[in-house]
Amino acid sequence: MEIQQKNIWYVTLLLTIIAGYCDTVTFVAADSIFSAHVTGNFIVFAYQIIKGSDIHAWIKLLTFPIFIIAVITGGRIALKATNRYTILFWEGIILFLSGIASYAFGYLEIFSEWTMYAVAMTTVFAMGLQNAFGKLYAKETHGPTTMMTGNVTQASLDLGNLLKNGLKDVEVLLSFKKQLVTIIGFLVGCFLGAVAGKFFGLGTLILPGIAMIICYLYHRKS
């Protein structure tokens, strides 16, 4: 049981870092597109429209149907797969190939803005798969790994109880620690993604892709 609990901590930390990383990489290097928090793209879209942006602003609306298709695909994968981490394997493959494509087209000097958008959308698809994993296998993590609002809310409630009752409530303290893992992991991922996106571009999606594939291989007998 203790080993299983440690495994959940590690998986949660990995997934939150990857989500924060991908979300920020695409925002920094792909025209302010959120790949994990897809609803945030509605805000960016509305802002760009009132600022007089061109047709490129409308591309952000594509993230929503792509995300939906990805979640549906994740559900289909789960129905057929014997290993619950298979969804994460395909997420890793997509991220890895997206990074490779970014570097390949850049090297060939044909990396256009439309290729950039294509890589951003495949990243959105990958994050959709991760969201599906979180919903289908909720017990594999300590909470949502791509959207932090719910985790911050729970952490705030736990903190309020701890300030009121002290550290006597073991369950509340444990819940608070779990939420901190998700929040801190996502924050670390955002920072790393910002640096990677600014200095190295979308090609750095290779890194979370490899990490996700390794995660799957480690749990391939699960």
mmCIF file of all heavy atoms in Angstrom, residues 178-209:
data_model
loop_
_atom_site.group_PDB
_atom_site.id
_atom_site.type_symbol
_atom_site.label_atom_id
_atom_site.label_comp_id
_atom_site.label_asym_id
_atom_site.label_seq_id
_atom_site.Cartn_x
_atom_site.Cartn_y
_atom_site.Cartn_z
ATOM 1 N N LYS A 178 -1.491 16.757 -0.580
ATOM 2 C CA LYS A 178 -1.777 16.256 -1.930
ATOM 3 C C LYS A 178 -2.026 17.407 -2.902
ATOM 4 O O LYS A 178 -1.537 17.393 -4.036
ATOM 5 C CB LYS A 178 -2.991 15.327 -1.901
ATOM 6 C CG LYS A 178 -2.740 13.992 -1.206
ATOM 7 C CD LYS A 178 -4.006 13.160 -1.171
ATOM 8 C CE LYS A 178 -3.769 11.812 -0.498
ATOM 9 N NZ LYS A 178 -5.011 10.997 -0.436
ATOM 10 N N GLN A 179 -2.786 18.393 -2.442
ATOM 11 C CA GLN A 179 -3.067 19.536 -3.312
ATOM 12 C C GLN A 179 -1.803 20.342 -3.590
ATOM 13 O O GLN A 179 -1.620 20.867 -4.689
ATOM 14 C CB GLN A 179 -4.137 20.437 -2.680
ATOM 15 C CG GLN A 179 -5.440 19.742 -2.350
ATOM 16 C CD GLN A 179 -5.966 18.866 -3.461
ATOM 17 O OE1 GLN A 179 -5.975 19.245 -4.629
ATOM 18 N NE2 GLN A 179 -6.391 17.662 -3.101
ATOM 19 N N LEU A 180 -0.927 20.427 -2.600
ATOM 20 C CA LEU A 180 0.333 21.145 -2.806
ATOM 21 C C LEU A 180 1.180 20.479 -3.880
ATOM 22 O O LEU A 180 1.856 21.166 -4.655
ATOM 23 C CB LEU A 180 1.121 21.228 -1.495
ATOM 24 C CG LEU A 180 0.633 22.229 -0.449
ATOM 25 C CD1 LEU A 180 1.583 22.242 0.741
ATOM 26 C CD2 LEU A 180 0.519 23.630 -1.047
ATOM 27 N N VAL A 181 1.136 19.149 -3.937
ATOM 28 C CA VAL A 181 1.893 18.425 -4.967
ATOM 29 C C VAL A 181 1.423 18.838 -6.354
ATOM 30 O O VAL A 181 2.226 19.124 -7.245
ATOM 31 C CB VAL A 181 1.748 16.895 -4.790
ATOM 32 C CG1 VAL A 181 2.343 16.161 -5.986
ATOM 33 C CG2 VAL A 181 2.448 16.441 -3.517
ATOM 34 N N THR A 182 0.104 18.890 -6.540
ATOM 35 C CA THR A 182 -0.431 19.246 -7.860
ATOM 36 C C THR A 182 -0.118 20.700 -8.210
ATOM 37 O O THR A 182 0.293 21.005 -9.334
ATOM 38 C CB THR A 182 -1.952 19.031 -7.914
ATOM 39 O OG1 THR A 182 -2.608 19.901 -6.973
ATOM 40 C CG2 THR A 182 -2.313 17.596 -7.590
ATOM 41 N N ILE A 183 -0.290 21.587 -7.244
ATOM 42 C CA ILE A 183 -0.097 23.019 -7.509
ATOM 43 C C ILE A 183 1.368 23.345 -7.760
ATOM 44 O O ILE A 183 1.714 24.042 -8.725
ATOM 45 C CB ILE A 183 -0.650 23.860 -6.340
ATOM 46 C CG1 ILE A 183 -2.164 23.653 -6.209
ATOM 47 C CG2 ILE A 183 -0.340 25.335 -6.545
ATOM 48 C CD1 ILE A 183 -2.749 24.187 -4.917
ATOM 49 N N ILE A 184 2.241 22.842 -6.888
ATOM 50 C CA ILE A 184 3.673 23.111 -7.043
ATOM 51 C C ILE A 184 4.211 22.459 -8.312
ATOM 52 O O ILE A 184 5.009 23.065 -9.045
ATOM 53 C CB ILE A 184 4.454 22.616 -5.808
ATOM 54 C CG1 ILE A 184 4.070 23.448 -4.587
ATOM 55 C CG2 ILE A 184 5.958 22.690 -6.048
ATOM 56 C CD1 ILE A 184 4.675 22.963 -3.284
ATOM 57 N N GLY A 185 3.756 21.239 -8.596
ATOM 58 C CA GLY A 185 4.186 20.561 -9.818
ATOM 59 C C GLY A 185 3.822 21.354 -11.057
ATOM 60 O O GLY A 185 4.643 21.536 -11.968
ATOM 61 N N PHE A 186 2.594 21.856 -11.093
ATOM 62 C CA PHE A 186 2.149 22.637 -12.246
ATOM 63 C C PHE A 186 2.944 23.928 -12.372
ATOM 64 O O PHE A 186 3.333 24.329 -13.474
ATOM 65 C CB PHE A 186 0.654 22.945 -12.117
ATOM 66 C CG PHE A 186 0.029 23.473 -13.371
ATOM 67 C CD1 PHE A 186 -0.448 22.613 -14.338
ATOM 68 C CD2 PHE A 186 -0.086 24.837 -13.587
ATOM 69 C CE1 PHE A 186 -1.025 23.092 -15.510
ATOM 70 C CE2 PHE A 186 -0.660 25.333 -14.746
ATOM 71 C CZ PHE A 186 -1.132 24.457 -15.709
ATOM 72 N N LEU A 187 3.200 24.576 -11.230
ATOM 73 C CA LEU A 187 3.963 25.819 -11.238
ATOM 74 C C LEU A 187 5.382 25.600 -11.758
ATOM 75 O O LEU A 187 5.890 26.387 -12.566
ATOM 76 C CB LEU A 187 4.011 26.412 -9.832
ATOM 77 C CG LEU A 187 4.803 27.714 -9.665
ATOM 78 C CD1 LEU A 187 4.205 28.819 -10.523
ATOM 79 C CD2 LEU A 187 4.814 28.133 -8.198
ATOM 80 N N VAL A 188 6.010 24.519 -11.309
ATOM 81 C CA VAL A 188 7.356 24.188 -11.797
ATOM 82 C C VAL A 188 7.332 23.941 -13.302
ATOM 83 O O VAL A 188 8.194 24.414 -14.044
ATOM 84 C CB VAL A 188 7.903 22.942 -11.067
ATOM 85 C CG1 VAL A 188 9.186 22.433 -11.737
ATOM 86 C CG2 VAL A 188 8.179 23.264 -9.603
ATOM 87 N N GLY A 189 6.305 23.205 -13.757
ATOM 88 C CA GLY A 189 6.167 22.948 -15.190
ATOM 89 C C GLY A 189 5.987 24.229 -15.984
ATOM 90 O O GLY A 189 6.553 24.379 -17.071
ATOM 91 N N CYS A 190 5.206 25.158 -15.447
ATOM 92 C CA CYS A 190 4.994 26.441 -16.130
ATOM 93 C C CYS A 190 6.307 27.203 -16.275
ATOM 94 O O CYS A 190 6.591 27.775 -17.335
ATOM 95 C CB CYS A 190 3.981 27.288 -15.361
ATOM 96 S SG CYS A 190 2.287 26.691 -15.457
ATOM 97 N N PHE A 191 7.081 27.232 -15.214
ATOM 98 C CA PHE A 191 8.361 27.944 -15.261
ATOM 99 C C PHE A 191 9.301 27.316 -16.287
ATOM 100 O O PHE A 191 9.900 28.014 -17.118
ATOM 101 C CB PHE A 191 9.008 27.943 -13.877
ATOM 102 C CG PHE A 191 10.360 28.610 -13.853
ATOM 103 C CD1 PHE A 191 10.478 29.988 -13.849
ATOM 104 C CD2 PHE A 191 11.519 27.851 -13.856
ATOM 105 C CE1 PHE A 191 11.729 30.604 -13.841
ATOM 106 C CE2 PHE A 191 12.771 28.451 -13.848
ATOM 107 C CZ PHE A 191 12.877 29.833 -13.837
ATOM 108 N N LEU A 192 9.413 25.990 -16.242
ATOM 109 C CA LEU A 192 10.282 25.294 -17.195
ATOM 110 C C LEU A 192 9.792 25.491 -18.624
ATOM 111 O O LEU A 192 10.593 25.682 -19.552
ATOM 112 C CB LEU A 192 10.339 23.800 -16.861
ATOM 113 C CG LEU A 192 10.975 23.424 -15.518
ATOM 114 C CD1 LEU A 192 10.852 21.920 -15.284
ATOM 115 C CD2 LEU A 192 12.438 23.842 -15.490
ATOM 116 N N GLY A 193 8.474 25.453 -18.809
ATOM 117 C CA GLY A 193 7.908 25.642 -20.139
ATOM 118 C C GLY A 193 8.134 27.036 -20.670
ATOM 119 O O GLY A 193 8.366 27.217 -21.872
ATOM 120 N N ALA A 194 8.075 28.033 -19.788
ATOM 121 C CA ALA A 194 8.312 29.407 -20.215
ATOM 122 C C ALA A 194 9.741 29.580 -20.718
ATOM 123 O O ALA A 194 9.976 30.198 -21.762
ATOM 124 C CB ALA A 194 8.037 30.366 -19.051
ATOM 125 N N VAL A 195 10.690 29.037 -19.975
ATOM 126 C CA VAL A 195 12.102 29.124 -20.384
ATOM 127 C C VAL A 195 12.336 28.354 -21.681
ATOM 128 O O VAL A 195 12.955 28.867 -22.623
ATOM 129 C CB VAL A 195 13.022 28.584 -19.268
ATOM 130 C CG1 VAL A 195 14.475 28.545 -19.744
ATOM 131 C CG2 VAL A 195 12.900 29.435 -18.015
ATOM 132 N N ALA A 196 11.815 27.129 -21.730
ATOM 133 C CA ALA A 196 12.015 26.297 -22.912
ATOM 134 C C ALA A 196 11.351 26.900 -24.142
ATOM 135 O O ALA A 196 11.928 26.917 -25.237
ATOM 136 C CB ALA A 196 11.466 24.889 -22.655
ATOM 137 N N GLY A 197 10.134 27.408 -23.971
ATOM 138 C CA GLY A 197 9.416 27.985 -25.100
ATOM 139 C C GLY A 197 10.087 29.226 -25.640
ATOM 140 O O GLY A 197 10.144 29.432 -26.862
ATOM 141 N N LYS A 198 10.605 30.055 -24.752
ATOM 142 C CA LYS A 198 11.236 31.305 -25.176
ATOM 143 C C LYS A 198 12.561 31.069 -25.900
ATOM 144 O O LYS A 198 12.837 31.689 -26.928
ATOM 145 C CB LYS A 198 11.470 32.204 -23.968
ATOM 146 C CG LYS A 198 12.143 33.521 -24.327
ATOM 147 C CD LYS A 198 12.314 34.417 -23.117
ATOM 148 C CE LYS A 198 13.000 35.728 -23.501
ATOM 149 N NZ LYS A 198 13.164 36.630 -22.321
ATOM 150 N N PHE A 199 13.381 30.164 -25.374
ATOM 151 C CA PHE A 199 14.734 30.002 -25.899
ATOM 152 C C PHE A 199 14.883 28.847 -26.891
ATOM 153 O O PHE A 199 15.792 28.857 -27.714
ATOM 154 C CB PHE A 199 15.721 29.813 -24.753
ATOM 155 C CG PHE A 199 15.845 31.015 -23.857
ATOM 156 C CD1 PHE A 199 15.259 31.029 -22.602
ATOM 157 C CD2 PHE A 199 16.528 32.148 -24.283
ATOM 158 C CE1 PHE A 199 15.360 32.149 -21.775
ATOM 159 C CE2 PHE A 199 16.637 33.268 -23.471
ATOM 160 C CZ PHE A 199 16.051 33.268 -22.216
ATOM 161 N N PHE A 200 13.991 27.856 -26.835
ATOM 162 C CA PHE A 200 14.171 26.678 -27.679
ATOM 163 C C PHE A 200 12.942 26.312 -28.505
ATOM 164 O O PHE A 200 13.023 25.471 -29.388
ATOM 165 C CB PHE A 200 14.588 25.479 -26.825
ATOM 166 C CG PHE A 200 15.809 25.734 -25.993
ATOM 167 C CD1 PHE A 200 15.698 25.979 -24.639
ATOM 168 C CD2 PHE A 200 17.074 25.752 -26.573
ATOM 169 C CE1 PHE A 200 16.820 26.220 -23.853
ATOM 170 C CE2 PHE A 200 18.200 25.994 -25.806
ATOM 171 C CZ PHE A 200 18.073 26.235 -24.449
ATOM 172 N N GLY A 201 11.805 26.913 -28.228
ATOM 173 C CA GLY A 201 10.624 26.718 -29.057
ATOM 174 C C GLY A 201 9.874 25.423 -28.816
ATOM 175 O O GLY A 201 10.088 24.710 -27.825
ATOM 176 N N LEU A 202 8.996 25.095 -29.742
ATOM 177 C CA LEU A 202 8.108 23.945 -29.609
ATOM 178 C C LEU A 202 8.840 22.611 -29.683
ATOM 179 O O LEU A 202 8.293 21.581 -29.283
ATOM 180 C CB LEU A 202 7.031 23.998 -30.697
ATOM 181 C CG LEU A 202 6.036 25.161 -30.610
ATOM 182 C CD1 LEU A 202 5.125 25.169 -31.834
ATOM 183 C CD2 LEU A 202 5.215 25.079 -29.337
ATOM 184 N N GLY A 203 10.051 22.618 -30.185
ATOM 185 C CA GLY A 203 10.809 21.365 -30.274
ATOM 186 C C GLY A 203 11.050 20.722 -28.923
ATOM 187 O O GLY A 203 11.267 19.506 -28.823
ATOM 188 N N THR A 204 10.976 21.518 -27.875
ATOM 189 C CA THR A 204 11.214 20.981 -26.530
ATOM 190 C C THR A 204 10.070 20.104 -26.038
ATOM 191 O O THR A 204 10.146 19.532 -24.943
ATOM 192 C CB THR A 204 11.437 22.119 -25.522
ATOM 193 O OG1 THR A 204 10.300 23.001 -25.537
ATOM 194 C CG2 THR A 204 12.679 22.909 -25.878
ATOM 195 N N LEU A 205 9.019 19.969 -26.836
ATOM 196 C CA LEU A 205 7.947 19.028 -26.497
ATOM 197 C C LEU A 205 8.461 17.594 -26.500
ATOM 198 O O LEU A 205 7.800 16.692 -25.969
ATOM 199 C CB LEU A 205 6.790 19.170 -27.493
ATOM 200 C CG LEU A 205 5.991 20.479 -27.401
ATOM 201 C CD1 LEU A 205 5.063 20.614 -28.601
ATOM 202 C CD2 LEU A 205 5.200 20.537 -26.100
ATOM 203 N N ILE A 206 9.621 17.386 -27.083
ATOM 204 C CA ILE A 206 10.255 16.066 -27.062
ATOM 205 C C ILE A 206 10.443 15.597 -25.619
ATOM 206 O O ILE A 206 10.243 14.415 -25.307
ATOM 207 C CB ILE A 206 11.618 16.115 -27.786
ATOM 208 C CG1 ILE A 206 11.411 16.334 -29.286
ATOM 209 C CG2 ILE A 206 12.418 14.841 -27.543
ATOM 210 C CD1 ILE A 206 12.711 16.526 -30.050
ATOM 211 N N LEU A 207 10.817 16.513 -24.737
ATOM 212 C CA LEU A 207 11.148 16.148 -23.355
ATOM 213 C C LEU A 207 9.953 15.570 -22.586
ATOM 214 O O LEU A 207 10.056 14.484 -22.007
ATOM 215 C CB LEU A 207 11.743 17.357 -22.631
ATOM 216 C CG LEU A 207 13.037 17.912 -23.233
ATOM 217 C CD1 LEU A 207 13.491 19.147 -22.459
ATOM 218 C CD2 LEU A 207 14.128 16.847 -23.216
ATOM 219 N N PRO A 208 8.809 16.274 -22.553
ATOM 220 C CA PRO A 208 7.664 15.661 -21.867
ATOM 221 C C PRO A 208 7.181 14.395 -22.565
ATOM 222 O O PRO A 208 6.640 13.497 -21.909
ATOM 223 C CB PRO A 208 6.598 16.758 -21.894
ATOM 224 C CG PRO A 208 6.991 17.665 -23.002
ATOM 225 C CD PRO A 208 8.490 17.634 -23.023
ATOM 226 N N GLY A 209 7.379 14.324 -23.874
ATOM 227 C CA GLY A 209 7.011 13.111 -24.597
ATOM 228 C C GLY A 209 7.801 11.918 -24.112
ATOM 229 O O GLY A 209 7.249 10.846 -23.839
#
